């Protein structure tokens, strides 16, 4: 996620032309350190929701559904993050539609490439606690 965001902030691909401010935590190069944690929280929670609602979905369907949930989350988050909190700034002043296409494709790919296999769906999973802790860390780090 850090690599994707660094590449995106430098090249304007695949999300569109934007730059981060220092309002979402300390920067490493052109990206706040909290951004990869945010990606992890959003993508992993989307995967947990998909697995809870559709536990027998195929892996491609699971990735597509998680990608859709991540895109919906980003659609809701973007105005708050850019207009209210100013975590990042879109150069053209508005959110380009390609941003949402990129969110769908990249989050779906992350799920498809890095999510555990189907056999892990019904095991007791400690990751929700990790997700909760990472979410809290993101908001605390974002305030500084």
């Amino acid at each position: 996620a850090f690599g994707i965001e660094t590449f995106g902030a430098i090249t304007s691909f695949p999300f569109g032309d934007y730059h981060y401010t220092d309002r979402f935590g300390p920067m490493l190069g052109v990206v706040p350190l909290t951004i990869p944690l945010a990606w992890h929280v959003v993508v992993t929670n989307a995967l947990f929701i998909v697995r809870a609602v559709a536990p027998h979905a195929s892996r491609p369907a699971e990735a597509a559904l998680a990608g859709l949930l991540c895109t919906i989350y980003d659609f809701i988050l973007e105005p708050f993050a850019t207009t209210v909190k100013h975590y990042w700034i879109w150069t053209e002043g508005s959110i380009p539609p390609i941003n949402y296409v990129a969110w769908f494709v990249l989050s779906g790919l992350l799920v498809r490439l890095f999510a555990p296999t189907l056999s892990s769906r019904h095991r007791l999973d400690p990751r929700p606690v990790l997700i909760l802790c990472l979410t809290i860390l993101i908001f605390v780090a974002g305030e500084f």
Side-chain angles (χ1 to χ4, degrees), residues 31-113:
V31 176
L33 291 173
T34 51
I35 291 296
L37 296 174
W39 268 87
H40 176 69
V41 168
V42 171
V43 172
T44 304
N45 278 321
L47 177 60
F48 285 148
I49 291 168
V50 168
R51 286 188 173 172
V53 173
H56 301 291
S58 67
R59 289 199 64 210
E62 181 179 81
L65 289 169
L68 179 62
L69 284 176
C70 290
T71 304
I72 291 168
Y73 177 84
D74 187 59
F75 184 78
I76 295 166
L77 169 78
E78 282 290 336
F80 174 77
T82 59
T83 306
V84 176
K85 293 303 245 175
H86 305 288
Y87 291 147
W88 53 89
I89 307 295
W90 292 102
T91 303
E92 299 296 320
S94 62
I95 305 158
I98 192 69
N99 173 64
Y100 301 113
V101 174
W103 260 94
F104 176 75
V105 170
L106 292 172
S107 57
L109 279 173
L110 288 171
V111 165
R112 183 71 172 101
L113 295 173

Side-chain angles (χ1 to χ4, degrees), residues 128-141:
V129 173
L130 176 63
I131 299 301
L132 178 61
C133 292
L134 287 173
T135 303
I136 293 167
L137 176 64
I138 287 169
F139 287 110
V140 169

